[in-house]
Amino acid sequence: MTIQEKFKGFKNEIKEVIENECLSDLEVNSCSTLDLIFSGYIKRKIESFMYINEFSVKELDEYFRDHCNNVCASYFGQIPESEYRYPVRDFINNLKYNSVVFALSNDLAVYISMLKGENASIN
């Protein structure tokens, strides 16, 4: 299964949680999308998704090639000096991984916002 297919299933799980009224005390249901972004909740969920699925370098490359054209490395902030000690291949793979996490985080934020019925005029 591709990253896109697994992510679609992951988003369906999030949808079930948001639509379940019995789970209203969970962070995803009790906070606005903006609060979820600023608290790091969305990024943690994506990093957990990536860790659980253990995507191969090939799968990450395919997703990066198809979905990360508009991601700029400057979105990640300053690159720690320790990153420059890695071989070039590993450094580039780390940038690709972070680009995929960034793209999926944005996609999830938009999706959660849509599920909650939030938009710029409501917030």
Side-chain angles (χ1 to χ4, degrees):
M1 232 191 264
T2 66
I3 292 176
Q4 191 67 23
E5 292 168 342
K6 288 183 179 180
F7 189 61
K8 187 175 184 178
F10 178 71
K11 288 193 320 188
N12 286 334
E13 292 173 13
I14 297 283
K15 180 180 180 181
E16 290 175 16
V17 169
I18 290 174
E19 291 177 347
N20 189 339
E21 293 177 11
C22 296
L23 303 174
S24 62
D25 58 339
L26 292 179
E27 186 175 5
V28 70
N29 290 336
S30 61
C31 297
S32 71
T33 305
L34 207 53
D35 290 337
L36 295 173
I37 293 169
F38 289 137
S39 71
Y41 175 86
I42 290 180
K43 187 174 183 204
R44 288 191 310 272
K45 289 302 268 186
I46 294 300
E47 288 174 344
S48 169
F49 166 77
M50 298 294 283
Y51 178 78
I52 289 170
N53 287 290
E54 297 180 348
F55 295 111
S56 69
V57 172
K58 181 182 176 190
E59 290 171 310
L60 289 169
D61 280 344
E62 287 175 7
Y63 189 88
F64 176 81
R65 185 183 61 244
D66 296 339
H67 301 283
C68 296
N69 293 332
N70 61 347
V71 176
C72 179
S74 65
Y75 295 160
F76 311 134
Q78 185 175 0
I79 297 171
E81 185 179 329
S82 62
E83 287 285 318
Y84 294 112
R85 296 185 185 130
Y86 294 122
V88 172
R89 182 185 66 218
D90 293 339
F91 178 79
I92 291 171
N93 285 338
N94 284 342
L95 282 178
K96 286 181 180 179
Y97 176 85
N98 288 327
S99 297
V100 171
V101 168
F102 180 81
L104 291 175
S105 296
N106 282 343
D107 190 0
L108 185 60
V110 168
Y111 185 71
I112 289 174
S113 178
M114 181 210 53
L115 287 175
K116 291 176 165 258
E118 298 174 344
N119 64 37
S121 64
I122 293 174
N123 293 333

